[in-house]
Structure formats: structure tokens, C-alpha cells
Amino acid sequence: MLDMKRALDLKALAATCPVAAGDYVTARYALPVADGAVGLELIVPEGSGHVEATDADVFLFVLEGKFSINAQDVPAEQGVLVRAGTAFDWSAPSGTKLFSMHVAETDKSEPAIVRIDTDAAMSPSTPPPAEYLVGPTPACQSAPTWRSCEGQFYGGTWSATPYYRKKVPYVHDEFMYLLEGSVSFVNEAGEKQTFTAGDAFLICRGASCSWESLDVVKKIYVIFRPTVA
């Protein structure tokens, strides 16, 4: 059983995914979630097919191989958002593996496929709260790509100078893919995990961990942060 209190190495998990390759709709392995508000899955598509429009915004990240969606090729280590209401044709060669994160959409938006541009111009963004930090406050930058589902689901790119953040509980589910640098986490059990450029990982709501980066980090991020009632 997966330990959802630690960071999940998605490439390592995909390598042992107990699902046979097949249709995009059915060749799926669901990860445990805190509730039904978000869906987290590994998909092992092979061949081609058609998907009817759904009522969810779906983020897809290609862990291995290549995924074609409406004749747009998405190579390994790139991600796209498929907006609710978007039907699409797909194709994937053998060996393709995807990570999927989907949230029911209540906003009205036009059907579209939105690619995360890792070269997008970045602007200064808010650093972690001072009470969480040990040492200097980092200089942070971000380039948001989208925000939807009443502001709860969003993604883009983000960077920061080195910093150390104390253990804090995650109140959101966050996918990260490191474009540059490395980061180490220590969870409540005292386990240290280090990820470097090229790694894709997931930290879910309920996990608690520190953050330590010794060099500049740049990442793709996708977050589901449910609205607190």
C-alpha cells in the first residue's frame, strides 16, 4: 500500500504500475486520495482512440514516451491542461506513461488544450511565510498558466533561490517536476527524500515535511487547494 505521507516518486511508481497498456480511458491506476474532490492517476495508454468531453479540468504530464492529443504532440517531461468540455483524439506509442490530476469544473470556460510553457517570462511572487523559514528569505518568481475550478486548481512554473522551510502540513495536493536544481524533504517519520532536475513527484494533503534547497530551484507545479468552508 502506498504511503501517502511521503513524497511519491512518480517515475519510479510508473515503472512498477500494475496496469497493462491499453485504452486511455481504462488503462489506469488510481492513487489514494483524501476525498473525491481530486482524482490522481497513472495512465498507460497505447494505440489511439477518442475521448468525449468531460466535466473536469484534467492535467496530464508525460512521464515517459509521447502522447498526441488532437494532433498536438506532447513529449516526455511536458504537461498540458485539458479544459472541461474538450473532446479529443489521442494516440500513444508503446512505453508511454502519464500522470493525471483532475478536478470537477464549475466555472464556465471554453474548451481548450493549454500547454505549460516552461520558458514563459516569470514575475516576482510571494515567498513562504517568515515564521516557516530558518535562514534567509528566498527570492521567488512564478509564471502562472491557469487557475480554474473556483480558484482551487492551478499550475505553471515557479523558481526560488536557496532556502530552508520547517515541517508544515500540506493543505493541498501538489505535483512537481524539477526543471533545475534539487530539493530535499524530511517527513514526519524522519525519512529524507531528495529529488533533482528531471524528477517528477507528488505531495498530497495531510503530508507534513520540511523543504531544503541548496541551489536555485525551478519547477512545474500543479496544485489542488480545496476551498476551506
Side-chain angles (χ1 to χ4, degrees):
M1 185 174 179
L2 291 177
D3 180 1
M4 303 304 287
K5 299 295 186 180
R6 67 195 298 273
L8 297 181
D9 183 333
L10 292 172
K11 289 185 178 181
L13 192 59
T16 59
C17 182
V19 174
D23 187 77
Y24 167 87
V25 175
T26 58
R28 294 171 173 247
Y29 175 70
L31 304 180
V33 293
D35 50 45
V38 64
L40 306 170
E41 296 177 300
L42 295 175
I43 309 174
V44 192
E46 184 176 321
S48 60
H50 178 79
V51 176
E52 295 296 336
T54 71
D55 60 357
D57 273 5
V58 182
F59 170 71
L60 296 173
F61 186 83
V62 183
L63 297 168
E64 295 181 29
K66 180 179 69 174
F67 190 66
S68 179
I69 180 167
N70 283 349
Q72 298 183 43
D73 285 343
V74 186
E77 303 183 340
Q78 290 194 20
V80 295
L81 176 75
V82 183
R83 289 199 179 278
T86 305
F88 60 90
D89 295 317
W90 66 270
S91 64
S94 176
T96 297
K97 296 176 181 178
L98 312 176
F99 168 72
S100 170
M101 188 172 186
H102 59 85
V103 179
E105 174 61 286
T106 56
D107 303 335
K108 290 184 178 181
S109 59
E110 293 295 323
I113 296 168
V114 183
R115 190 183 297 259
I116 292 181
D117 180 4
T118 57
D119 294 321
M122 307 180 84
S123 300
S125 64
T126 304
E131 61 268 27
Y132 294 165
L133 297 173
V134 176
T137 299
C140 300
Q141 292 187 304
S142 66
T145 300
W146 88 88
R147 182 178 286 268
S148 63
C149 304
E150 299 181 334
Q152 299 178 104
F153 192 36
Y154 50 98
T157 57
W158 176 91
S159 71
T161 54
Y163 72 98
Y164 180 85
R165 189 205 66 211
K166 303 174 187 177
K167 287 187 182 72
V168 293
Y170 271 62
V171 295
H172 58 276
D173 302 287
E174 182 172 2
F175 164 86
M176 293 177 248
Y177 173 75
L178 290 186
L179 296 161
E180 300 174 13
S182 65
V183 59
S184 294
F185 300 96
V186 177
N187 61 24
E188 284 294 317
E191 177 189 19
K192 183 176 181 178
Q193 296 173 273
T194 299
F195 298 94
T196 60
D199 287 339
F201 52 98
L202 177 70
I203 300 179
C204 292
R205 277 176 287 159
S208 182
C209 58
S210 61
W211 165 295
E212 184 178 22
S213 52
L214 301 178
D215 46 12
V216 173
V217 167
K218 182 178 180 181
K219 68 181 182 180
I220 292 173
Y221 68 89
V222 177
I223 290 173
F224 171 62
R225 186 188 298 269
T227 300
V228 178

